[in-house]
Each structure stands twice: as structure tokens, then as C-alpha cells.
Amino acid sequence: MMEKKFTPPTSMLKTFIPILVVILSFTSCQQEKTANGPIYKRDYKEAILESRKELGAHLMTSFTPGGSVSVSVDGELVWSEGLGYANKELKAPTQRNTKFRIGNSSQLFTAYLIAKMQEENQLHIDSSFYTYIPDFPKKRADFTLRMLMNQVAGFPESSNREAQQLDKKIRTLKDYIKLHENDSLVYQPDSYFLQSNLSLGLLGILAEDISQKRFADLIQETIIDTLQLNNTQLDNTMAIIENRSNTYDRDYIARLTNAPQINLNPLAPALGMLSTADDLNLAAQQLLEPGFFNEETLRLFYEPYQLSTGQRLNSSFGWLVITDREGRKVIGQAGSTTGGASAIAVYPEQKLVVTLCANLGSDFEDLPVMQIANHFLKIIDPKEDAKQE
């Protein structure tokens, strides 16, 4: 006797299909969460555990709601994780693709852009700024693009709260340059160092003028798309930006508050980028060997700048250049702005890159990037005195 095939009634299908859709949607969410979940490489278990304690303690003691970390060795991610909250009110956890304001680390993208434009013979960094922007109001002394990028062009030091202090009418990079175009130099170019947002802004406007493209488009085409930094972009308070962290600040008695809304577009070349620890890590890996940049360009980032007075700075073309206690060379960044902070440490000889992001800016407490790096260096490049400890 032939077995009768069961055909579910239409009413059952109508009930079952919506349930199936819900189940599949939960499955999809779980897969997405896993894709942005932590990465741990077993070989570095002890370093990860110690570093996790270090970062967790920093977040707690500084009352920072959330942050992310990314560590790579020879181009391979060995630890990547989000900790704490991207949104404290909603208790939304930080993930690896959570975008943070990175503050002064934004200048690495400006440095990369100007360096690539030189490689492509669109400009020369030792030329006068006036070679490219002859109508800019003349100052009492000339200055070059290299001086602007090395923060030795003579412009005054920027306030850490400059973004908050901008008039609401200042909406674009051009507005910002127009506001400051008649500012006087405060020292003879190439004789002193002062961190100036205006110096970065002038490089941004120069790049726009040469290419006839907006700064945002130049960064997107030249850096972000080429390196596939899929979670990096210019901040825009008016736009809905997927996976953007909430931003936090402190009031006058150091209590945690929501950060004031600020427009970073006018300061885009200096402060205006959103990114993740993973994307910053990948961007910083370009310093490890020729590829995205040629050997000559890499020397721009590696070699400390020497002033006309003979003094050698602890900075290069948009980067800090120092040595750690064991004499290892470190190329780094430390960025802070209202509602966000970041830190980068690149050990070129050990091919170690450590990057951190957080959703609270601070003028007093640096992210523990060097401390975390030290835990990994004990495995990668142990020194004799470290072994004895």
C-alpha cells in the first residue's frame, strides 16, 4: 500500500513561516555578533590576559564607558576586542566595529594623503605653501609643507577645546581657514614646535586646491578605499552613522556626562575622523615595510625632525618618534578630543602594532598603549633585564 504523503495545511504554513523568519533573523544577528566578537590568539594568552586587566582598570579608574583594542604581530591580528559600553544609557556593548572619535590621530590620514600626493608628483613637501596657494595672506616669514606637517611652521598652539569654541557659523574647512587666515606667526618657522590645528587645516585646503576635490573625498579615495578601512570616515553630527559610539565628557567636578554636540568638519584634517582600533591598526601597519608607501616616504615617518637650531624633535611627519626604556624604536600617536580618544604604538623592528580607542576624551589620562605593548614584547622581544624580573 502506497504511503500517503503528508501536505501541511495552508493555515499551518501561515503560522509556521513567520516563526521561521524570526528564528532566521536571530541566527543572522548571532552571526553578525560573532563576526565582530573578540579575537584571541592562543600563543599570546598571558599577554592578552594581563593587557585586558590593564585596559579594564583604565576604563574603570577614568570612568570611561567603553573602548576597543587591536594588537597585530607581523600583520596578523592576535588580539582584538571591544570592552565596556558604546552607549552607557542603553547598555549597548562596544564591539570591534564600533566607531570612535580619534582626536589628533586624525592627522595620520592627512600625513598619509600629503605623502601620497608627493609620491605621485602632485606636490613637493619642501616647497613654500605659497607656491600652491599664492593668494593666502603673507606672513612675516615663509614656511613649507614639511614645516606644516611637522608642526613647526610658526602658528600658535591650538586649544584642546577648540572644536567646542568654534562659532556655529563655521561649518566647513574653508570657513575655518577664512577665520584664521590673518593670524600672525608666533615664532620664526623651523625654530620651535607647537601643535596647531591650523597647520593641518592649511594642508587640507592645499590638497583640495591641487586636486579640485573635497578633503573628505580625497581621504576616502586615497587612503580609506585603498587600504579597505571599512569602518573609518569623517565624523558628521548631522548624519546617521552605523555603529558610531556615543560620546562622553566630564563636567567641572569630573562627573561623566554626555559630550556636547560639536561639528568637527572644519577641523577634519586635525581632529575630524571616526575609526576603530582594527582600522587604525591596519593603517599603522603601512609603516612596517614598503608597499602602500615607498622607502623614501617611510623615512619621512621614521626620522625625527631636526629644527634649524639643530634641536632634534621627538616627532616626524605627523607622528611621534621615541624609544622605549629598552631602546626600541616606537612610532606613535596620541589623540584626544571632546567625546573620544585614541592611541597608536608601532614597533617597526618587532613588527608589533597596538591601537586603542575610547569614547571619553581626556587631557590628563593617556590610554595605556605602551603598557599593553610591553606585555606582548615580553613574548616577541624579551630583554635580559625583563627576563630577570
Side-chain angles (χ1 to χ4, degrees):
M1 184 174 176
M2 185 177 291
E3 190 176 315
K4 190 175 180 181
K5 187 175 180 181
F6 173 72
T7 304
T10 304
S11 60
M12 184 181 294
L13 287 173
K14 286 181 178 179
T15 304
F16 179 72
I17 288 173
I19 295 172
L20 181 61
V21 170
V22 171
I23 291 171
L24 290 174
S25 68
F26 273 109
T27 305
S28 176
C29 289
Q30 182 62 38
Q31 288 173 345
E32 184 178 351
K33 183 177 179 182
T34 302
N36 290 298
I39 291 175
Y40 308 111
K41 188 169 176 60
R42 187 181 297 274
D43 294 349
Y44 298 91
K45 177 182 175 182
E46 293 303 320
I48 292 169
L49 289 173
E50 291 302 313
S51 297
R52 204 173 189 278
K53 291 178 189 175
E54 197 100 47
L55 183 54
H58 172 84
L59 296 179
M60 288 182 63
T61 56
S62 64
F63 300 100
T64 301
S68 62
V69 58
S70 184
V71 179
S72 66
V73 179
D74 200 10
E76 179 188 10
L77 276 185
V78 298
W79 180 34
S80 177
E81 186 174 7
L83 290 87
Y85 295 120
N87 187 304
K88 189 174 176 67
E89 294 89 334
L90 299 177
K91 298 193 182 302
T94 301
Q95 295 189 8
R96 289 173 49 223
N97 63 345
T98 299
K99 300 182 180 76
F100 296 89
R101 288 179 181 169
I102 63 171
N104 307 87
S105 294
S106 301
Q107 69 180 314
L108 84 84
F109 294 97
T110 305
Y112 278 14
L113 174 63
I114 298 300
K116 287 304 288 184
M117 291 179 76
Q118 167 152 290
E119 283 189 359
E120 296 166 2
N121 296 315
Q122 297 182 57
L123 54 78
H124 195 285
I125 61 171
D126 288 316
S127 296
S128 165
F129 177 79
Y130 294 101
T131 301
Y132 305 99
I133 312 288
D135 295 334
F136 189 72
K138 293 294 188 290
K139 307 303 176 187
R140 63 181 175 87
D142 198 7
F143 51 90
T144 66
L145 312 191
R146 189 192 293 264
M147 292 178 194
L148 287 169
M149 194 67 248
N150 283 278
Q151 305 282 356
V152 299
F155 290 100
E157 187 172 23
S158 299
S159 162
N160 290 333
R161 296 280 175 168
E162 184 178 14
Q164 289 185 38
Q165 296 163 356
L166 286 179
D167 188 290
K168 291 184 179 180
K169 294 179 182 177
I170 307 300
R171 304 298 302 170
T172 67
L173 176 58
K174 288 183 178 179
D175 292 338
Y176 176 70
I177 298 302
K178 188 72 176 175
L179 177 69
H180 289 287
E181 65 181 2
N182 292 312
D183 286 4
S184 300
L185 301 183
V186 296
Y187 61 90
Q188 180 67 24
D190 208 26
S191 66
Y192 200 67
F193 172 93
L194 282 179
Q195 188 82 23
S196 168
N197 293 336
L198 180 57
S199 291
L200 277 298
L202 290 174
L203 289 170
I205 211 73
L206 176 145
E208 286 190 345
D209 197 76
I210 290 174
S211 66
Q212 294 299 298
K213 294 179 180 179
R214 295 186 312 124
F215 180 79
D217 296 332
L218 284 169
I219 293 295
Q220 186 71 42
E221 295 169 10
T222 310
I223 313 298
I224 294 174
D225 289 347
T226 305
L227 296 179
Q228 297 183 8
L229 307 178
N230 299 322
N231 291 299
T232 299
Q233 65 184 93
L234 264 69
D235 196 5
N236 183 347
T237 54
M238 302 300 292
I240 302 298
I241 297 178
E242 187 177 1
N243 299 318
R244 175 167 51 183
S245 172
N246 199 9
T247 55
Y248 297 93
D249 202 359
R250 293 193 181 100
D251 66 12
Y252 66 97
I253 57 172
R255 291 178 305 188
L256 189 69
T257 64
N258 286 306
Q261 190 176 61
I262 56 173
N263 175 27
L264 289 173
N265 283 339
L267 297 166
L271 299 172
M273 301 298 295
L274 294 173
S275 193
T276 65
D278 280 356
D279 272 9
L280 288 180
N281 199 295
L282 180 55
Q285 287 176 38
Q286 308 313 311
L287 300 183
L288 297 179
E289 60 187 13
F292 183 66
F293 295 115
N294 60 34
E295 289 273 11
E296 183 180 357
T297 298
L298 289 181
R299 284 195 293 273
L300 279 178
F301 304 127
Y302 276 46
E303 296 176 1
Y305 186 80
Q306 185 170 322
L307 296 170
S308 59
T309 61
Q311 179 185 357
R312 191 172 292 274
L313 302 177
N314 63 349
S315 60
S316 64
F317 201 76
W319 290 85
L320 298 171
V321 182
I322 60 174
T323 55
D324 71 3
R325 290 181 300 177
E326 305 298 337
R328 305 181 187 94
K329 187 168 194 169
V330 187
I331 304 171
Q333 288 277 357
S336 182
T337 189
T338 303
S342 62
I344 304 170
V346 180
Y347 290 76
E349 293 175 4
Q350 292 74 27
K351 296 193 175 182
L352 171 68
V353 180
V354 180
T355 52
L356 299 172
C357 293
N359 51 19
L360 174 67
S362 175
D363 302 332
F364 310 106
E365 298 158 309
D366 292 331
L367 291 167
V369 66
M370 301 294 284
Q371 296 91 317
I372 289 173
N374 284 334
H375 291 303
F376 286 86
L377 288 166
K378 288 176 182 177
I379 299 172
I380 300 166
D381 185 31
K383 301 294 183 181
E384 285 304 315
D385 54 350
K387 289 179 183 177
Q388 293 171 4
E389 291 176 7

